[in-house]
Structures are given as structure tokens and as C-alpha cells.
Amino acid sequence: MTENPFFRPSTLDYELPPFAEIREEHYLPAYERGMAEQLAEIAAITADRSLPTFENTLVALERSGELLRRVDAVFRNQSSSDTTDLLDEVEAKVSPLLAAHHDAIHLDRALFARIEALYRTRTELGLDPESLRLLERRYTGFERSGARLGEAEQARLRELNAELAALGTTFQQNVNAATRANALVLDSAAELAGLSEGAIAGAAENARVLGHEDKYVLSLKNTSGQPELAQLTDRSVRERLLAASLGRGIEANGPIAIRMAGLRAERAALLGHPSHAAYVVADETAGTVEAVSALLARLVGPAVANARREAAELAAAAAADGIGEIAAHDWAYYSEKVRQSSFQVDAAVLRPYFELERVLRDGVFFAANLAYGLSFTERPDLTAHHPDARVFEVFEEDGTALGLFVGDFHARASKRGGAWMDSLVEQSALTGRRPVVLNNLNIPLPAPGEPVLMSWDEVRTLFHEFGHALHGLFSDVRYPLFSGTSVPRDFVEFPSQVNEMWMVRPEVLANYARHHETGEPLPAGLVERMTAAEGFGQGFRTVEYLAATLLDWAWHTVPQGEEIADAEEFESRALAAAGVGVDAIPPRYRTTYFQHVFASGYSAAYYAYIWSEVLDADTVQWFEGNGRPVRESGEVFRRELLARGFSRDPLESFRAVIGRAPETEPLLARRGLL
């Protein structure tokens, strides 16, 4: 092996990882050395015979694990955005090792004793607010990780954490494999009737890349619904496409979901909580299971009633085609027909106005300049993790360098579905590092030579994920623990959802929504009609989301010892009991490909999107009605909330912007639920 590039800090600008030097074989040795180094650093802290101080304990802990932090940031992104068989093997090996490493630190009695001694005298230490919060959060983190358990309980906790880590990795890899395997292969372009010429050409190119010469392939997105369902005129093809999506991972991941739910329930009981949901939400802004349940219960009835009204309109449209009852694979298709007839909106007509490069530069970046004064310069001299990914340097209004933004916008077989943000380098005044953040999307590549045209939803996703990127870029904290998006799950989606507002802001929309061939602006009134049409679809979207949320909630409110025999049967009963068992509206994610909750950090926290949307809707209303110029409002939002990370209570940051506690009415109005 050549010298491992992870073994030394990067010498590139902003410590961007040296991707040109990194090879697959570098990861495992770097992980092994990184974990060993951090444990040695922890041992040095506990071996110190002097009395514990903030500097020799808390600051030393914050500084520990530099090598591990470097390799983990790169690997987490690489294994998600461009994986290989070897990387899958590394991930399977490393996941339980990382769980054991976390336990080795957080179950270290000597280390916890030092932290606890400081915590007990915290009011006498003269700490500044961020340092005091670091002490309090570290103390809470160790307690929640089992530091007070006895030897036997800690031994069982280690076993639970290791098995859960391994199962989560297997679940994720099963989903990836099933998503690839269930791609719909079609023999002729005629079967794709209803799709645009560009989309059909893209399906042919996708087939070629995947080894299906002279055929057409529709690869699956991560959600239950597939975007092509809105255009495909052949009902049997729609049915096959949705069946392929809904059938992912049933045999492989059903038993894993059951096992993980049981292990999580046991772990929660070990840590003193009645369920995994109770354990999770105790450290979120929601605070209690009752608070989450109350919000969800308030939404279900109006949302289902709204969806049933929409279904009646769809049934009338379907009757003209001789269809007596709307099935799940019909909903998107007839929704599009109703939008076209009632609102004069055709989603396919919008695509030519949303060319990726223009949306990015004249939309997303333009809005960031409008609200925050940022500017962006592409850096082709800096190498990213994949040839498709691009690096941009970000500058303040006065020209001061802020950080790097990496954009990896395109779908490929080696990338998991969905869209997400990662931090490759986290901002911290303690380490002197500035942020390097990354957005991953899954926009299909067109046929060679064709422009990258986006759907309305893909444009929204680009603005959304860039909201996460801004959260990371604007971080201005001292300690790595608090950097950027390191906030509770039910708060982290809030800034990204707020950033979606710029998508339809008149001055932003007029700047980017232009026909890619003629340069003509989006026709007047089309956005207003599109917004009205979206209002028509809120019933479906809210029920689809709530079904997934309540499914997550059902899996993770199961008490220890409750036996679950079959995942599909459990899912069906849970949806019916929650009042969202609508046959024609599958949950946004079914159990067996619900990566958020079985392979990511959203277990018992998928409610976070709607909880965060309460804050989002309230904040958008504030932006639009506070009487300040946009730039001034943006500065307040940045200074008081985005820059703060987790260095203070997130709801305190919200109140510092809005001037009061959040209210639910703006969300209910947005969703048509008042």
C-alpha cells in the first residue's frame, strides 16, 4: 500500500480530503488506527492524576479522534454516493467496530467520573455559555449511552449496539441491492408512452449503462411512489412499476426490521425508558412521546378527509377511461390529469424551464446572495470524490472566504437513493477549521448531448438540500460537538425546509426559470397555477408522509418482549390502527426499504419533518411579513440560528429570530388542514 493519505491532515485548501490519493484499501487501516489513536487519547485523559478541569477533560475530549473523524467523514459519503463491493465489505466490518468504539468511550467509568465531577460543580467553574453547554451535553450524552449501568447491563448494551450496527448496515445494503434488482426493464418505447422524448431517451441510455442493450430501464427512486407514474399512459406498466417499488426487500429486510425493533426496545428498557421512541424523543425538541403523538393525531383526520375529497375528483377523471376504482398505481396519473384540466398545469411543460446549471447558479446561488450576500466560484482545480461532483468556493459579501461546497447531483447505480447533505470538514474555532459541505441528489443523467432538465420536485429538493449546506457553511461555534447540522433530528430539517421558500420567490424564480433553448421566462401565471395545483395534492402528500411517520412510530413504541411474527402483517395493522391505512395511498416508505429508520439516524424520528415544518411555516411567514429588507432578515436568521448549531437550545435560537414560541397555524394553513 502507498502511504495512507488519511494518516496526515490534508494540505489542500480548507483541508478538503485528498480524493485523488484515496484508494479503497486505505479506509480500513485508517479506521483501525483512528480508533486506536482516540482510545489512547482517552486513556491519557483518564490517566491524568491532576484534578479534572474543563481543559484537561472536556477540551481534550473534543480534540481527540482527529484521524477517525477524517476517515469517517469521507467514508460515510463514499459508501453512500459511489459504493463498490469492497466498500460494502468495509462498511460491514467497520459498523460494529464503530459501535464498540463508541461504547468504549461512553462506558469508560473513569472518563465519566471526571465529567460528572465537573458537572456537579458547573456553576462554580466560571464557564462561558458555550463551554457550559458543552459540559452539560457531554454529561447527558454519557448518561444516555449507559455510563451509569452496572457491569452486566453494560455488557449486554455493548452486544445490543454491535448487533444493531451490523443489522443496519445489512438492511441498507439489501435496499441498495433490491432497488437495483427491481428496476423495471421494458422491451419497447411504446410501453413508455406518455413520457417525454428526453425521458424515453434517458431510459434507453440507462438500459445501455446497466447492460440491457436495445431495451429501456426505469430505475427506482428511494420512495414508494415513482415520478414516471404521473405520465405513463399504459396502466399495466404503471402497475408493474409500483409493484416493483413496493416489493423491495420483503424477504431480506422484513426479519431484520423485526429484530431491530426488538433490540431497540430492549436497549430502551435497559436505559430506563418504556420504548425506543420514548428514549429518542427525550433528547429531541419535542421532549415527550405524548407531544409527538398529539401533533400526529391532530393531522390524521383532516389529512385523510382531504385525500378522500381528492380521490373523488380522480375517480371522475378515471371513469372517462373506463376505470371504476382508483388504485395506488393510478393516483399520480389521474392527479396529473386533474391538474391539467382544473389548473392548466402540465408537469412535463415545466421541465424545459428548469435546466440544472441555470437553477443552480441563477436560482440556488442567487437566492443565497440575495439573503446572505454569498458568492460562489467553481474550483475545477480541486478534485471531488467522483468525476460528476463539482467543487465551489464560497465567499462572504466582503470577499472573505467562507468554505467549500461540493455538489454531486446525478443518479448512478453506485449511489443510494434520495438526497442528502454531508460535512466533509466541520467548522470549529477550537480546531481552526472552516467548513466543507456536500450535497448529493439523484437527478437522472440525460442522453449524451442533452441538457439536464429537472422536475418541479427536483428543483425543490435542490433548494432543500442547499438549506442543509448553508446550515453547515454558516456554522460559527467553538466546539466540534455543536458544529453545523449537529442539532436534534426534529430541528435539523427546519433550515432546509425554510430554504425551499426561495424556489418560488418572484425575484428568484424570474432569474432562473427560463426555457433552456429560447431563454423565454416561465409563462406568467404558471407558478400560481402550479401552487394551486399543489394545494389540490396536499391530501395525498400528507397522508403518504403521515403513513410512513406513524409506521416508524408503531415499530418503535413496541415495548420490550412483544413478539412480532411478520413485518408485512405488522405494517398493515399499524397503518389501520393509526387511521392511515388507505389502500390507494401507500406510505412514502414501506418497512422493508425505510432506510431513514432502519439504516440511518431517524428511528422514532421520522416525525421530525412535520415537526420541523411547524417551525418552517412560521419562519417563512416571518420572512414575508416582518417589514425588514430580505438581506437584513437573512442576516438575523443566519446570526441567531444557522450560525449557532447546537451551541444553545435550538428553540431558544428560534425565539431569538421570531420573537416568540412556534405556532402550528401556519403549517395547518399551508397543508390545507384548517
Side-chain angles (χ1 to χ4, degrees), residues 22-45:
I22 295 170
R23 303 288 179 267
E24 292 180 347
E25 61 267 22
H26 292 144
Y27 286 113
L28 188 57
Y31 265 119
E32 291 171 341
R33 183 185 290 193
M35 286 184 276
E37 283 187 5
Q38 188 171 28
L39 291 181
E41 291 161 345
I42 299 301
I45 295 172

Side-chain angles (χ1 to χ4, degrees), residues 13-216:
D13 292 355
Y14 303 90
E15 295 189 33
L16 177 73
F19 290 108
E21 302 173 29
I22 295 170
R23 303 288 179 267
E24 292 180 347
E25 61 267 22
H26 292 144
Y27 286 113
L28 188 57
Y31 265 119
E32 291 171 341
R33 183 185 290 193
M35 286 184 276
E37 283 187 5
Q38 188 171 28
L39 291 181
E41 291 161 345
I42 299 301
I45 295 172
T46 58
D48 189 340
R49 296 188 176 183
S50 59
L51 290 174
T53 67
F54 184 81
E55 288 292 326
N56 70 20
T57 302
L58 272 299
V59 172
L61 180 58
E62 284 296 285
R63 290 188 182 279
S64 72
E66 285 293 324
L67 170 55
L68 182 58
R69 189 176 289 121
R70 283 199 298 273
V71 64
D72 192 52
V74 176
F75 183 79
R76 279 187 292 105
N77 176 67
Q78 194 76 38
S79 62
S80 296
S81 64
D82 190 27
T83 195
T84 65
D85 290 343
L86 179 56
L87 292 183
D88 284 350
E89 292 175 14
V90 172
E91 187 176 26
K93 291 179 183 177
V94 164
S95 293
L97 293 177
L98 286 174
H101 180 72
H102 177 276
D103 286 341
I105 295 172
H106 289 83
L107 301 181
D108 186 317
R109 296 188 186 281
L111 180 59
F112 180 61
R114 295 178 71 90
I115 294 172
E116 186 174 29
L118 292 169
Y119 181 78
R120 286 176 174 170
T121 60
R122 62 192 181 281
T123 59
E124 305 164 19
L125 299 177
L127 299 176
D128 63 83
E130 186 176 342
S131 297
L132 177 59
R133 184 164 175 81
L134 178 68
L135 173 55
E136 292 172 342
R137 288 303 306 169
R138 282 296 188 188
Y139 176 78
T140 298
F142 272 72
E143 270 204 323
R144 284 177 55 79
S145 296
R148 291 195 179 281
L149 295 178
E151 292 291 343
E153 290 82 4
Q154 284 193 354
R156 179 55 183 156
L157 182 63
R158 292 174 194 268
E159 294 173 352
L160 292 169
N161 288 338
E163 186 175 357
L164 281 166
L167 288 171
T169 297
T170 302
F171 187 98
Q172 172 76 66
Q173 293 178 358
N174 287 346
V175 172
N176 292 344
T179 298
R180 290 192 294 268
N182 282 28
L184 186 61
V185 181
L186 300 167
D187 294 323
S188 70
E191 294 174 281
L192 295 173
L195 300 187
S196 67
E197 290 183 7
I200 294 172
E205 175 66 12
N206 192 29
R208 186 193 65 77
V209 170
L210 296 175
H212 299 281
E213 293 293 340
D214 300 322
K215 293 186 183 295
Y216 301 82

Side-chain angles (χ1 to χ4, degrees), residues 226-265:
Q226 301 298 305
E228 296 87 357
L229 292 170
Q231 279 85 41
L232 289 165
T233 58
D234 188 325
R235 194 182 190 212
S236 66
V237 174
R238 295 200 305 267
E239 184 175 13
R240 289 164 58 198
L241 179 60
L242 184 59
S245 177
L246 298 178
R248 281 176 283 176
I250 290 174
E251 292 184 4
N253 277 347
I256 291 177
I258 292 171
R259 178 66 176 165
M260 291 184 75
L263 294 175
R264 285 170 173 169

Side-chain angles (χ1 to χ4, degrees), residues 195-199 221 227-228 231 346-356 359 443-444 451-459 512-517 522 526:
L195 300 187
S196 67
E197 290 183 7
K221 313 303 182 290
E228 296 87 357
Q231 279 85 41
D346 183 350
V349 171
L350 292 171
R351 277 186 180 272
Y353 295 91
F354 300 143
E355 190 271 321
L356 172 60
V359 175
I443 301 170
V452 180
L453 303 181
M454 304 171 67
S455 70
W456 180 264
D457 284 342
E458 286 167 342
V459 173
Y512 76 84
R514 292 181 173 273
H515 197 284
H516 72 98
E517 291 177 333
L522 199 65
L526 186 54

